mmCIF file with all atom_site columns, all heavy atoms in Angstrom:
data_model
loop_
_atom_site.group_PDB
_atom_site.id
_atom_site.type_symbol
_atom_site.label_atom_id
_atom_site.label_alt_id
_atom_site.label_comp_id
_atom_site.label_asym_id
_atom_site.label_entity_id
_atom_site.label_seq_id
_atom_site.pdbx_PDB_ins_code
_atom_site.Cartn_x
_atom_site.Cartn_y
_atom_site.Cartn_z
_atom_site.occupancy
_atom_site.B_iso_or_equiv
_atom_site.pdbx_formal_charge
_atom_site.auth_seq_id
_atom_site.auth_comp_id
_atom_site.auth_asym_id
_atom_site.auth_atom_id
_atom_site.pdbx_PDB_model_num
ATOM 1   N N   . TRP A 1 8  ? 13.751 4.576  24.280 1.00 78.00 ? 8  TRP A N   1
ATOM 2   C CA  . TRP A 1 8  ? 13.430 5.119  22.966 1.00 78.00 ? 8  TRP A CA  1
ATOM 3   C C   . TRP A 1 8  ? 12.162 5.965  23.031 1.00 78.00 ? 8  TRP A C   1
ATOM 4   O O   . TRP A 1 8  ? 11.234 5.651  23.756 1.00 78.00 ? 8  TRP A O   1
ATOM 5   C CB  . TRP A 1 8  ? 13.238 3.990  21.966 1.00 78.00 ? 8  TRP A CB  1
ATOM 6   C CG  . TRP A 1 8  ? 14.461 3.144  21.777 1.00 78.00 ? 8  TRP A CG  1
ATOM 7   C CD1 . TRP A 1 8  ? 14.655 1.864  22.213 1.00 78.00 ? 8  TRP A CD1 1
ATOM 8   C CD2 . TRP A 1 8  ? 15.661 3.515  21.114 1.00 78.00 ? 8  TRP A CD2 1
ATOM 9   N NE1 . TRP A 1 8  ? 15.890 1.413  21.860 1.00 78.00 ? 8  TRP A NE1 1
ATOM 10  C CE2 . TRP A 1 8  ? 16.540 2.410  21.185 1.00 78.00 ? 8  TRP A CE2 1
ATOM 11  C CE3 . TRP A 1 8  ? 16.097 4.687  20.467 1.00 78.00 ? 8  TRP A CE3 1
ATOM 12  C CZ2 . TRP A 1 8  ? 17.814 2.438  20.627 1.00 78.00 ? 8  TRP A CZ2 1
ATOM 13  C CZ3 . TRP A 1 8  ? 17.361 4.695  19.921 1.00 78.00 ? 8  TRP A CZ3 1
ATOM 14  C CH2 . TRP A 1 8  ? 18.196 3.588  19.999 1.00 78.00 ? 8  TRP A CH2 1
ATOM 15  N N   . ALA A 1 9  ? 12.149 7.008  22.220 1.00 88.00 ? 9  ALA A N   1
ATOM 16  C CA  . ALA A 1 9  ? 10.970 7.866  22.089 1.00 88.00 ? 9  ALA A CA  1
ATOM 17  C C   . ALA A 1 9  ? 10.493 7.815  20.643 1.00 88.00 ? 9  ALA A C   1
ATOM 18  O O   . ALA A 1 9  ? 11.278 7.581  19.727 1.00 88.00 ? 9  ALA A O   1
ATOM 19  C CB  . ALA A 1 9  ? 11.313 9.303  22.485 1.00 88.00 ? 9  ALA A CB  1
ATOM 20  N N   . VAL A 1 10 ? 9.201  8.031  20.437 1.00 90.00 ? 10 VAL A N   1
ATOM 21  C CA  . VAL A 1 10 ? 8.641  8.057  19.084 1.00 90.00 ? 10 VAL A CA  1
ATOM 22  C C   . VAL A 1 10 ? 8.705  9.492  18.569 1.00 90.00 ? 10 VAL A C   1
ATOM 23  O O   . VAL A 1 10 ? 7.953  10.365 19.018 1.00 90.00 ? 10 VAL A O   1
ATOM 24  C CB  . VAL A 1 10 ? 7.190  7.549  19.070 1.00 90.00 ? 10 VAL A CB  1
ATOM 25  C CG1 . VAL A 1 10 ? 6.598  7.652  17.666 1.00 90.00 ? 10 VAL A CG1 1
ATOM 26  C CG2 . VAL A 1 10 ? 7.122  6.116  19.579 1.00 90.00 ? 10 VAL A CG2 1
ATOM 27  N N   . ARG A 1 11 ? 9.629  9.718  17.649 1.00 91.00 ? 11 ARG A N   1
ATOM 28  C CA  . ARG A 1 11 ? 9.788  11.055 17.065 1.00 91.00 ? 11 ARG A CA  1
ATOM 29  C C   . ARG A 1 11 ? 9.330  11.100 15.603 1.00 91.00 ? 11 ARG A C   1
ATOM 30  O O   . ARG A 1 11 ? 9.235  12.168 15.018 1.00 91.00 ? 11 ARG A O   1
ATOM 31  C CB  . ARG A 1 11 ? 11.252 11.498 17.161 1.00 91.00 ? 11 ARG A CB  1
ATOM 32  C CG  . ARG A 1 11 ? 11.747 11.650 18.603 1.00 91.00 ? 11 ARG A CG  1
ATOM 33  C CD  . ARG A 1 11 ? 13.132 12.261 18.657 1.00 91.00 ? 11 ARG A CD  1
ATOM 34  N NE  . ARG A 1 11 ? 13.554 12.504 20.034 1.00 91.00 ? 11 ARG A NE  1
ATOM 35  C CZ  . ARG A 1 11 ? 14.192 11.623 20.799 1.00 91.00 ? 11 ARG A CZ  1
ATOM 36  N NH1 . ARG A 1 11 ? 14.464 10.421 20.316 1.00 91.00 ? 11 ARG A NH1 1
ATOM 37  N NH2 . ARG A 1 11 ? 14.540 11.914 22.037 1.00 91.00 ? 11 ARG A NH2 1
ATOM 38  N N   . SER A 1 12 ? 9.081  9.934  15.037 1.00 93.00 ? 12 SER A N   1
ATOM 39  C CA  . SER A 1 12 ? 8.568  9.870  13.671 1.00 93.00 ? 12 SER A CA  1
ATOM 40  C C   . SER A 1 12 ? 7.055  10.047 13.686 1.00 93.00 ? 12 SER A C   1
ATOM 41  O O   . SER A 1 12 ? 6.433  10.117 14.751 1.00 93.00 ? 12 SER A O   1
ATOM 42  C CB  . SER A 1 12 ? 8.936  8.524  13.042 1.00 93.00 ? 12 SER A CB  1
ATOM 43  O OG  . SER A 1 12 ? 8.361  7.470  13.797 1.00 93.00 ? 12 SER A OG  1
ATOM 44  N N   . ASP A 1 13 ? 6.464  10.089 12.505 1.00 96.00 ? 13 ASP A N   1
ATOM 45  C CA  . ASP A 1 13 ? 5.005  10.155 12.362 1.00 96.00 ? 13 ASP A CA  1
ATOM 46  C C   . ASP A 1 13 ? 4.528  8.767  11.939 1.00 96.00 ? 13 ASP A C   1
ATOM 47  O O   . ASP A 1 13 ? 4.623  8.409  10.760 1.00 96.00 ? 13 ASP A O   1
ATOM 48  C CB  . ASP A 1 13 ? 4.634  11.197 11.302 1.00 96.00 ? 13 ASP A CB  1
ATOM 49  C CG  . ASP A 1 13 ? 3.130  11.346 11.118 1.00 96.00 ? 13 ASP A CG  1
ATOM 50  O OD1 . ASP A 1 13 ? 2.379  10.449 11.563 1.00 96.00 ? 13 ASP A OD1 1
ATOM 51  O OD2 . ASP A 1 13 ? 2.702  12.350 10.516 1.00 96.00 ? 13 ASP A OD2 1
ATOM 52  N N   . PRO A 1 14 ? 4.036  7.945  12.866 1.00 96.00 ? 14 PRO A N   1
ATOM 53  C CA  . PRO A 1 14 ? 3.677  6.560  12.527 1.00 96.00 ? 14 PRO A CA  1
ATOM 54  C C   . PRO A 1 14 ? 2.629  6.458  11.422 1.00 96.00 ? 14 PRO A C   1
ATOM 55  O O   . PRO A 1 14 ? 2.711  5.547  10.587 1.00 96.00 ? 14 PRO A O   1
ATOM 56  C CB  . PRO A 1 14 ? 3.134  5.999  13.843 1.00 96.00 ? 14 PRO A CB  1
ATOM 57  C CG  . PRO A 1 14 ? 3.702  6.871  14.907 1.00 96.00 ? 14 PRO A CG  1
ATOM 58  C CD  . PRO A 1 14 ? 3.817  8.229  14.286 1.00 96.00 ? 14 PRO A CD  1
ATOM 59  N N   . ARG A 1 15 ? 1.681  7.385  11.417 1.00 97.00 ? 15 ARG A N   1
ATOM 60  C CA  . ARG A 1 15 ? 0.637  7.332  10.394 1.00 97.00 ? 15 ARG A CA  1
ATOM 61  C C   . ARG A 1 15 ? 1.215  7.591  9.013  1.00 97.00 ? 15 ARG A C   1
ATOM 62  O O   . ARG A 1 15 ? 0.899  6.882  8.058  1.00 97.00 ? 15 ARG A O   1
ATOM 63  C CB  . ARG A 1 15 ? -0.469 8.340  10.717 1.00 97.00 ? 15 ARG A CB  1
ATOM 64  C CG  . ARG A 1 15 ? -1.679 8.204  9.821  1.00 97.00 ? 15 ARG A CG  1
ATOM 65  C CD  . ARG A 1 15 ? -2.847 9.059  10.286 1.00 97.00 ? 15 ARG A CD  1
ATOM 66  N NE  . ARG A 1 15 ? -4.032 8.823  9.479  1.00 97.00 ? 15 ARG A NE  1
ATOM 67  C CZ  . ARG A 1 15 ? -4.864 7.812  9.683  1.00 97.00 ? 15 ARG A CZ  1
ATOM 68  N NH1 . ARG A 1 15 ? -4.649 6.958  10.660 1.00 97.00 ? 15 ARG A NH1 1
ATOM 69  N NH2 . ARG A 1 15 ? -5.925 7.648  8.901  1.00 97.00 ? 15 ARG A NH2 1
ATOM 70  N N   . ARG A 1 16 ? 2.084  8.571  8.931  1.00 97.00 ? 16 ARG A N   1
ATOM 71  C CA  . ARG A 1 16 ? 2.730  8.870  7.645  1.00 97.00 ? 16 ARG A CA  1
ATOM 72  C C   . ARG A 1 16 ? 3.642  7.710  7.225  1.00 97.00 ? 16 ARG A C   1
ATOM 73  O O   . ARG A 1 16 ? 3.657  7.325  6.049  1.00 97.00 ? 16 ARG A O   1
ATOM 74  C CB  . ARG A 1 16 ? 3.531  10.161 7.781  1.00 97.00 ? 16 ARG A CB  1
ATOM 75  C CG  . ARG A 1 16 ? 4.356  10.524 6.543  1.00 97.00 ? 16 ARG A CG  1
ATOM 76  C CD  . ARG A 1 16 ? 3.475  10.879 5.368  1.00 97.00 ? 16 ARG A CD  1
ATOM 77  N NE  . ARG A 1 16 ? 4.273  11.216 4.200  1.00 97.00 ? 16 ARG A NE  1
ATOM 78  C CZ  . ARG A 1 16 ? 4.736  12.454 3.949  1.00 97.00 ? 16 ARG A CZ  1
ATOM 79  N NH1 . ARG A 1 16 ? 4.478  13.447 4.800  1.00 97.00 ? 16 ARG A NH1 1
ATOM 80  N NH2 . ARG A 1 16 ? 5.439  12.693 2.863  1.00 97.00 ? 16 ARG A NH2 1
ATOM 81  N N   . ASP A 1 17 ? 4.376  7.160  8.174  1.00 97.00 ? 17 ASP A N   1
ATOM 82  C CA  . ASP A 1 17 ? 5.234  6.019  7.857  1.00 97.00 ? 17 ASP A CA  1
ATOM 83  C C   . ASP A 1 17 ? 4.416  4.852  7.318  1.00 97.00 ? 17 ASP A C   1
ATOM 84  O O   . ASP A 1 17 ? 4.808  4.187  6.348  1.00 97.00 ? 17 ASP A O   1
ATOM 85  C CB  . ASP A 1 17 ? 6.002  5.566  9.098  1.00 97.00 ? 17 ASP A CB  1
ATOM 86  C CG  . ASP A 1 17 ? 7.220  6.422  9.394  1.00 97.00 ? 17 ASP A CG  1
ATOM 87  O OD1 . ASP A 1 17 ? 7.579  7.273  8.554  1.00 97.00 ? 17 ASP A OD1 1
ATOM 88  O OD2 . ASP A 1 17 ? 7.829  6.231  10.472 1.00 97.00 ? 17 ASP A OD2 1
ATOM 89  N N   . ALA A 1 18 ? 3.279  4.576  7.954  1.00 98.00 ? 18 ALA A N   1
ATOM 90  C CA  . ALA A 1 18 ? 2.432  3.467  7.515  1.00 98.00 ? 18 ALA A CA  1
ATOM 91  C C   . ALA A 1 18 ? 1.926  3.700  6.098  1.00 98.00 ? 18 ALA A C   1
ATOM 92  O O   . ALA A 1 18 ? 1.901  2.780  5.263  1.00 98.00 ? 18 ALA A O   1
ATOM 93  C CB  . ALA A 1 18 ? 1.263  3.295  8.483  1.00 98.00 ? 18 ALA A CB  1
ATOM 94  N N   . GLU A 1 19 ? 1.528  4.913  5.804  1.00 97.00 ? 19 GLU A N   1
ATOM 95  C CA  . GLU A 1 19 ? 1.059  5.243  4.457  1.00 97.00 ? 19 GLU A CA  1
ATOM 96  C C   . GLU A 1 19 ? 2.162  5.062  3.429  1.00 97.00 ? 19 GLU A C   1
ATOM 97  O O   . GLU A 1 19 ? 1.934  4.520  2.334  1.00 97.00 ? 19 GLU A O   1
ATOM 98  C CB  . GLU A 1 19 ? 0.535  6.682  4.428  1.00 97.00 ? 19 GLU A CB  1
ATOM 99  C CG  . GLU A 1 19 ? -0.751 6.879  5.224  1.00 97.00 ? 19 GLU A CG  1
ATOM 100 C CD  . GLU A 1 19 ? -1.108 8.348  5.402  1.00 97.00 ? 19 GLU A CD  1
ATOM 101 O OE1 . GLU A 1 19 ? -0.274 9.210  5.011  1.00 97.00 ? 19 GLU A OE1 1
ATOM 102 O OE2 . GLU A 1 19 ? -2.198 8.640  5.930  1.00 97.00 ? 19 GLU A OE2 1
ATOM 103 N N   . ASP A 1 20 ? 3.379  5.506  3.768  1.00 97.00 ? 20 ASP A N   1
ATOM 104 C CA  . ASP A 1 20 ? 4.502  5.410  2.832  1.00 97.00 ? 20 ASP A CA  1
ATOM 105 C C   . ASP A 1 20 ? 4.926  3.962  2.602  1.00 97.00 ? 20 ASP A C   1
ATOM 106 O O   . ASP A 1 20 ? 5.273  3.581  1.475  1.00 97.00 ? 20 ASP A O   1
ATOM 107 C CB  . ASP A 1 20 ? 5.685  6.227  3.345  1.00 97.00 ? 20 ASP A CB  1
ATOM 108 C CG  . ASP A 1 20 ? 5.438  7.731  3.257  1.00 97.00 ? 20 ASP A CG  1
ATOM 109 O OD1 . ASP A 1 20 ? 4.503  8.142  2.545  1.00 97.00 ? 20 ASP A OD1 1
ATOM 110 O OD2 . ASP A 1 20 ? 6.187  8.490  3.920  1.00 97.00 ? 20 ASP A OD2 1
#
Side-chain angles (χ1 to χ4, degrees):
W8 299 108
V10 177
R11 296 188 175 89
S12 60
D13 181 343
R15 188 171 185 83
R16 175 67 180 273
D17 280 351
E19 292 169 353
D20 289 344

